[in-house]
Amino acid sequence: MATLREIKRRISSVKSTMQITKAMKMVAAAKLQKSQMKLMSTRPYSQKLSGVLENVVKKSKRHKHPLMKERKVKKVCYVLLTADKGLCGSFNANLIRRAHSELNQSEAQKNHLITIGRKGYEHFRHISYPVTAHYIDIFNNLEFSQARVIAGELMKSYLNGKFDRVYIIYNQFKNAVQQDMIVEQFLPIVPEPTEEKIHPAGYVYEPKPEAILKVLVPMSLNFKMWKILLESATSEFGSRMTAMETATDNAQEMIKELTLFYNKARQAAITKELNEIVSGAEALKG
Amino acid sequence: MADKSFKFEIITPEKVVYSADVEHVKAPGKNGYFGVKVNHIPFLTILKTGKITIEIGKEKIFFATSGGFAQVTENKMTILAETAEEATRIDVERAKQARDRALKRLKEKSVDINIPRAEAALLRALNRMEIAAIK
């Protein structure tokens, strides 16, 4: 009989786990939607900014902004974006694995690693890999000012020669079930072609395009970092939602099996009892 | 009235903060405040921390910005700013905290602080408080 009670206990334990995963899925879905909205609302700024940037860069051809100049690559910095929390499928594990392979393959003399998100930091601290800088607990309440701080630090390190190139490893959000992991060059800037028309002659730049570029370039990098943070956060929610959905499905499957098992065991017990009664009665007759 | 107005937008990384037909915009240019009316020549300029004043008829709307740039094309003006808040929506408490924090940093003068950054933060906070006080 002990097994019967045990099975019952397991069923109820799986049930409560399922309730948790179900709730987490719902929370992730709600957050995903919010995050997606945020991502969408960066679009007007993004279009305008890249259009203006391209025009100004073209106008100031002779002068190159220091953040756009290619240098000989000796010191590379990888920025790894993971989540702050777990329970989101293979999201963090894949990112960390990719970071390892990038660091191993790197041909630079010195590699730096910066982590954004708690999970990546914990992993590299655990294996005692030197982490140049880390940012944790920023995804809980994501604000533009945080992107500005991170981008500012990267620019400073690039300008004073600490890094010659900066790559960012993160997940780009495609849709709720698909996230693409990419390694993107952050510094020096790779100009992107845009659709915005070049300004007609007679367009007044005040001050000169070169001076405008000085303000524009950091602005565009701040924004790029903001977008990357949002992409990563949105991907995390998508990944968590999928993971929790799978977990809920698995729990349901398990409950089904356990219930079947429980009924079988109950049936067996009843049969056994009946058998005993009948055979007892038979024995008395004899 | 229609011929006196032009399209005006303020866009931040987080959203389109303001979009309407307006008659006059005054903005904090790098070399001082400038005004834009309808049929302004196309131009591009840098903005610094300051106040944006929008006029529609007799109505005036104020925004605090921490800098960015302004672009004027054929009867359309766009301000791209990293932050821009309408005067009535400024979080004065937060601005005060930011001011105190910046002042403290400047007073301590420790080696590892970035003085221009602290000064910029102070300027932004004071600007927000000043504009919030208009209403």
Side-chain angles (χ1 to χ4, degrees):
Chain A
M1 281 317 130
T3 52
L4 261 187
R5 226 178 26 233
E6 242 164 51
I7 296 170
K8 215 170 183 181
R9 201 160 49 209
R10 275 202 70 191
I11 291 179
S12 73
S13 126
V14 173
K15 250 185 197 157
S16 55
T17 308
M18 190 178 84
Q19 263 164 358
I20 295 170
T21 57
K22 217 174 183 174
M24 279 184 80
K25 184 196 136 191
M26 244 109 84
V27 171
K31 284 193 176 168
L32 173 70
Q33 210 176 12
K34 234 167 106 187
S35 197
Q36 240 175 316
M37 288 287 288
K38 259 187 174 173
L39 201 55
M40 290 285 279
S41 49
T42 62
R43 235 175 238 172
Y45 190 85
S46 160
Q47 273 166 0
K48 205 84 211 168
L49 187 66
S50 49
V52 171
L53 183 65
E54 202 192 354
N55 279 325
V56 177
V57 168
K58 273 187 187 146
K59 282 275 171 188
S60 54
K61 251 182 200 145
R62 270 169 301 165
H63 174 87
K64 260 200 162 179
H65 192 277
L67 291 168
M68 300 177 112
K69 266 186 213 150
E70 290 270 350
R71 307 200 278 250
K72 216 173 156 222
V73 181
K74 284 187 200 140
K75 288 165 276 182
V76 177
C77 174
Y78 288 95
V79 180
L80 172 67
L81 268 100
T82 60
D84 278 325
K85 294 178 209 156
L87 288 180
C88 43
S90 53
F91 184 83
N92 291 317
N94 284 344
L95 283 162
I96 288 168
R97 198 175 317 134
R98 183 64 179 266
H100 272 295
S101 80
E102 290 292 328
L103 287 167
N104 285 338
Q105 280 166 23
S106 170
E107 283 162 5
Q109 289 169 8
K110 180 146 179 56
N111 292 312
H112 286 271
L113 179 71
I114 292 178
T115 58
I116 302 176
R118 185 183 292 278
K119 284 287 161 185
Y121 176 60
E122 276 174 358
H123 169 81
F124 283 98
R125 194 185 50 183
H126 184 69
I127 60 167
S128 317
Y129 191 95
V131 177
T132 310
H134 64 275
Y135 302 89
I136 51 174
D137 281 337
I138 65 163
F139 290 111
N140 212 0
N141 190 10
L142 207 53
E143 276 185 4
F144 183 74
S145 52
Q146 290 157 330
R148 195 158 56 186
V149 170
I150 297 171
E153 287 297 322
L154 290 174
M155 283 183 250
K156 209 174 88 192
S157 300
Y158 184 82
L159 289 176
N160 66 25
K162 202 171 162 194
F163 314 140
D164 297 316
R165 186 160 284 187
V166 178
Y167 291 106
I168 301 194
I169 307 170
Y170 71 105
N171 269 304
Q172 220 165 24
F173 181 77
K174 288 274 172 250
N175 56 48
V177 286
Q178 197 196 345
Q179 297 92 33
D180 291 348
M181 202 194 314
I182 58 166
V183 181
E184 194 174 288
Q185 183 174 328
F186 188 70
L187 283 169
I189 297 175
V190 195
E192 289 166 43
T194 52
E195 290 143 27
E196 189 115 339
K197 280 176 263 138
I198 192 130
H199 296 151
Y203 197 89
V204 180
Y205 291 92
E206 194 192 301
K208 284 199 201 97
E210 290 79 13
I212 291 183
L213 206 58
K214 245 186 214 159
V215 176
L216 213 51
V217 167
M219 253 179 100
S220 81
L221 284 170
N222 287 345
F223 175 70
K224 198 168 177 185
M225 182 50 79
W226 170 240
K227 206 163 162 226
I228 286 172
L229 290 178
L230 280 181
E231 293 269 3
S232 179
T234 315
S235 302
E236 181 197 331
F237 292 135
S239 189
R240 175 163 299 127
M241 195 180 83
T242 325
M244 286 303 115
E245 195 170 334
T246 320
T248 311
D249 288 350
N250 286 346
Q252 225 147 20
E253 189 69 26
M254 211 163 161
I255 289 170
K256 227 166 114 189
E257 265 170 39
L258 282 173
T259 313
L260 196 71
F261 199 59
Y262 175 77
N263 286 341
K264 267 187 189 163
R266 195 184 48 140
Q267 202 70 53
I270 293 169
T271 315
K272 197 175 143 209
E273 231 169 284
L274 268 179
N275 236 341
E276 272 164 14
I277 294 167
V278 171
S279 53
E282 285 288 315
L284 282 179
K285 246 192 233 169
Chain B
M1 283 301 259
D3 52 336
K4 272 170 81 183
S5 64
F6 58 97
K7 258 181 93 76
F8 174 65
E9 277 180 331
I10 302 177
I11 307 174
T12 67
E14 289 172 70
K15 59 178 184 241
V16 177
V17 181
Y18 184 84
S19 174
D21 286 339
V22 302
E23 281 158 28
H24 186 254
V25 174
K26 200 170 110 187
K30 186 126 201 178
N31 306 320
Y33 278 87
F34 65 92
V36 173
K37 282 190 172 177
V38 73
N39 292 328
H40 196 284
I41 53 159
F43 88 124
L44 185 74
T45 193
I46 304 170
L47 301 182
K48 58 183 182 186
T49 303
K51 177 171 74 179
I52 301 170
T53 313
I54 304 163
E55 282 176 41
I56 313 171
K58 290 229 160 67
E59 194 192 350
K60 275 190 184 182
I61 304 165
F62 302 101
F63 277 88
T65 180
S66 61
F69 60 94
Q71 185 192 31
V72 181
T73 52
E74 295 117 36
N75 277 332
K76 188 174 179 213
M77 179 175 180
T78 312
I79 287 182
L80 283 197
E82 294 202 329
T83 65
E85 296 120 27
E86 202 180 330
T88 48
R89 294 204 179 151
I90 292 173
D91 189 340
V92 182
E93 255 332 286
R94 201 174 149 171
K96 272 186 188 154
Q97 279 167 17
R99 177 197 60 184
D100 295 343
R101 208 163 46 229
L103 280 176
K104 203 175 135 210
R105 278 200 192 143
L106 287 172
K107 223 180 256 169
E108 281 169 359
K109 280 192 185 136
S110 55
V111 194
D112 59 324
I113 71 151
N114 188 337
I115 290 182
R117 192 191 276 174
E119 277 172 353
L122 180 61
L123 208 63
R124 284 200 297 269
L126 291 176
N127 177 52
R128 282 204 177 97
M129 287 166 64
E130 190 190 316
I131 292 165
I134 293 175
K135 280 252 159 170

